[in-house]
C-alpha cells in the first residue's frame, strides 16, 4: 500500500513538474502552495498506516507465541488428567454407579448431606443404607457417637423406608470425647472437639421418630442402663481408641447372628485409634471378621458356628 501510494505520488509530481515548465512562475508558486497541504496529509496517513501495520504484526506474533504456550500447557494438563484417571484414588471413576441417583436412598441421603449435620457423604451413608436393609427386622439398633444427629437421622429415615420400626438408641456424651489415648489419638486432642453441640438440639432434630431414644452420657456408664442384649445393627462412630475398644468388647458379643457393626473411620489416617482397637479385637476374638471398605468404614460380623 505504501509503495502504490508513493508511485502515484511520484507520477503526479513528475506530471506537475512538466506542466510547471509551461506555467508562469507566480502560477507555479500558487499551485505548489495548493498541493502542499494534501501531500503532507498523504505522507502522514502513510506513516500512520505503516505504524498500524507494525503494531498488528507485533500483536499477531504475540498471539502466536501465546497459542504455542497454551498448546504445551493443554498437552501437560491432558497428561496429568490421564495419570489421575489411572491413579489409585480415582481409578474407575465415571464408570461406577452414581449413588446420588439410587431410588429411595438418594432422596434421604440428599436431605441429610444438605442439612450439614454429619461429615458423612453419599458413600458412607450408602453403607449404612445397606446395613439397615440387611438388619434383622425388629431387633434394636444402636449408634454410639451421634454428635449433631446427621447419621442417626439417616438411619432413622432408612429404617422407615424399609418399613422397620425397631427401638433405636442414639448415644453420645453431647459434650465431646469422654476419654482419649494421647499416645494414639494424636489428632483428637483439640479440647473443643465435638463440644459445640447440645443434647437438646440433637433431640429436637431427631424428634420425629417415636422409636428413637437419646442416651446422654459416657457410653461406658450409659451402656449399663441398656435393657437390650441383642442388637440388629450397631453403628460405632467415636473416633478414638479407648471408646472404640470398649464398644467393640461390649457390643460385638451382643450382635444377633446375622447383624453387623459398621465401624466408621477405620481406614482414616486421622483416626488411628479406631483401626488399632478393631485390629486388636479381631486378633483376640477370631470368631469375628472385619471387612475394610474403601469408604473408610469397616464391617464387623460374627462367623457362623460350624454345623
Ligand atoms: C464423629 S462424631 C459422630 C458423628 C455422627 N456419627 C455423624 O456423622 O452424624 C463422634 C462423637 O462421638 C462422641 N463420643 C466420643 N467418645 C464418647 C464416649 N465415650 N461416650 C459417648 N460419646 C462419645 C463424641 O462426643 C462425638 O460427638
Amino acid at each position: 500500500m505504501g509503495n502504490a501510494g508513493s508511485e502515484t505520488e511520484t507520477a503526479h509530481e513528475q506530471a506537475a513538474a512538466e506542466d510547471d515548465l509551461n506555467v508562469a512562475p507566480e502560477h507555479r508558486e500558487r499551485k505548489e502552495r495548493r498541493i502542499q497541504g494534501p501531500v503532507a496529509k498523504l505522507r502522514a496517513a502513510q506513516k500512520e498506516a505503516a505504524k498500524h501495520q507494525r503494531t498488528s504484526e507485533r500483536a499477531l506474533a504475540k498471539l502466536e507465541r501465546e497459542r504455542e504456550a497454551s498448546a504445551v500447557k493443554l498437552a501437560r494438563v491432558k497428561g496429568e488428567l490421564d495419570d489421575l484417571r489411572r491413579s489409585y484414588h480415582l481409578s474407575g471413576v465415571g464408570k461406577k454407579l452414581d449413588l446420588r441417583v439410587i431410588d429411595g436412598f438418594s432422596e434421604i441421603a440428599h436431605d441429610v448431606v444438605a442439612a450439614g449435620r454429619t461429615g458423612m457423604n453419599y458413600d458412607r451413608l450408602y453403607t449404612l443404607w445397606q446395613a439397615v436393609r440387611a438388619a434383622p427386622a425388629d431387633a434394636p439398633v444402636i449408634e454410639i457417637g451421634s454428635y449433631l444427629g446427621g447419621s442417626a437421622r439417616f438411619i432413622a429415615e432408612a429404617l422407615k423406608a424399609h418399613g422397620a420400626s425397631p427401638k433405636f438408641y442414639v448415644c453420645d456424651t453431647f459434650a465431646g470425647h469422654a476419654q482419649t489415648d494421647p499416645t494414639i489419638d494424636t489428632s483428637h486432642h483439640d479440647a473443643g472437639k465435638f463440644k459445640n453441640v447440645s443434647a437438646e438440639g440433637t433431640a429436637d432434630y431427631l424428634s420425629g421418630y417415636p422409636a428413637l431414644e437419646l442416651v446422654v452420657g459416657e457410653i461406658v456408664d450409659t451402656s449399663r442402663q441398656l435393657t437390650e442384649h441383642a442388637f440388629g445393627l450397631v453403628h460405632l462412630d467415636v473416633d478414638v481408641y479407648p471408646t472404640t475398644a470398649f464398644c467393640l468388647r461390649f457390643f460385638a458379643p451382643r450382635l444377633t447372628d446375622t447383624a453387623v457393626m459398621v465401624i466408621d473411620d477405620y481406614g482414616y489416617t486421622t483416626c488411628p485409634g479406631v483401626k488399632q482397637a478393631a485390629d486388636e479385637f479381631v486378633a483376640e476374638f477370631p470368631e469375628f471378621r472385619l471387612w475394610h471398605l474403601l469408604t473408610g468404614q469397616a464391617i464387623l460380623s460374627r462367623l457362623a458356628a460350624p454345623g
Side-chain angles (χ1 to χ4, degrees):
M1 182 188 148
N3 285 346
S6 61
E7 274 168 23
T8 319
E9 189 189 326
T10 314
H12 277 305
E13 279 168 0
Q14 273 173 4
E18 279 162 20
D19 279 354
D20 287 350
L21 292 175
N22 309 318
V23 183
E26 64 272 25
H27 284 153
R28 206 166 47 231
E29 271 171 29
R30 225 180 299 139
K31 199 175 172 190
E32 274 171 10
R33 273 201 303 278
R34 242 190 2 254
I35 64 167
Q36 256 171 9
V39 166
K41 260 190 196 160
L42 184 65
R43 291 207 169 116
Q46 283 173 336
K47 238 171 136 180
E48 190 64 12
K51 200 171 112 194
H52 280 309
Q53 186 165 353
R54 282 195 303 276
T55 310
S56 306
E57 281 167 3
R58 273 200 302 273
L60 270 175
K62 189 170 170 233
L63 270 177
E64 180 57 20
R65 282 196 304 277
E66 284 172 0
R67 195 192 62 77
E68 281 167 11
S70 297
V72 170
K73 221 185 258 176
L74 189 65
R76 201 185 61 230
V77 170
K78 273 186 179 159
E80 284 171 2
L81 205 60
D82 281 347
D83 286 349
L84 215 53
R85 281 207 192 94
R86 285 190 293 267
S87 76
Y88 164 72
H89 288 289
L90 293 179
S91 70
V93 88
K95 293 184 199 154
K96 289 179 185 163
L97 204 63
D98 187 344
L99 299 180
R100 294 166 304 176
V101 296
I102 291 182
D103 271 354
F105 163 75
S106 63
E107 298 82 357
I108 299 174
H110 172 269
D111 289 351
V112 166
V113 170
R117 296 180 76 99
T118 177
M120 294 191 179
N121 213 313
Y122 287 81
D123 57 347
R124 286 197 268 173
L125 293 177
Y126 194 58
T127 304
L128 293 178
W129 174 261
Q130 294 179 85
V132 166
R133 193 169 56 196
D138 297 330
V141 171
I142 189 163
E143 176 178 79
I144 309 104
S146 302
Y147 190 37
L148 297 167
S151 56
R153 172 109 169 206
F154 177 82
I155 292 170
E157 281 292 331
L159 286 165
K160 204 158 90 177
H162 287 94
S165 50
K167 183 84 191 163
F168 178 22
Y169 297 99
V170 172
C171 315
D172 203 298
T173 60
F174 297 103
H177 294 301
Q179 42 178 331
T180 59
D181 183 329
T183 63
I184 305 169
D185 304 311
T186 44
S187 59
H188 285 269
H189 285 285
D190 173 1
K193 202 149 190 162
F194 303 123
K195 286 190 172 166
N196 57 338
V197 61
S198 73
E200 294 73 26
T202 300
D204 192 39
Y205 179 58
L206 299 173
S207 62
Y209 309 96
L212 187 153
E213 182 180 329
L214 221 62
V215 180
V216 182
E218 147 74 296
I219 192 67
V220 174
D221 303 325
T222 56
S223 55
R224 288 199 212 107
Q225 303 152 20
L226 295 170
T227 50
E228 314 284 356
H229 297 292
F231 292 91
L233 170 61
V234 177
H235 181 219
L236 180 57
D237 185 11
V238 290
D239 291 10
V240 292
Y241 179 81
T243 310
T244 303
F246 168 80
C247 289
L248 281 161
R249 277 166 177 72
F250 186 87
F251 289 104
R254 290 171 171 79
L255 288 172
T256 60
D257 283 347
T258 55
V260 296
M261 183 186 295
V262 178
I263 305 171
D264 200 59
D265 298 312
Y266 173 86
Y268 272 69
T269 53
T270 45
C271 299
V274 174
K275 184 170 190 306
Q276 184 168 329
D279 289 346
E280 285 172 3
F281 179 81
V282 286
E284 192 178 340
F285 300 98
E287 66 271 32
F288 289 95
R289 275 285 182 275
L290 192 72
W291 292 80
H292 177 189
L293 308 184
L294 296 183
T295 55
Q297 295 154 306
I299 301 282
L300 183 86
S301 65
R302 193 203 310 270
L303 293 179

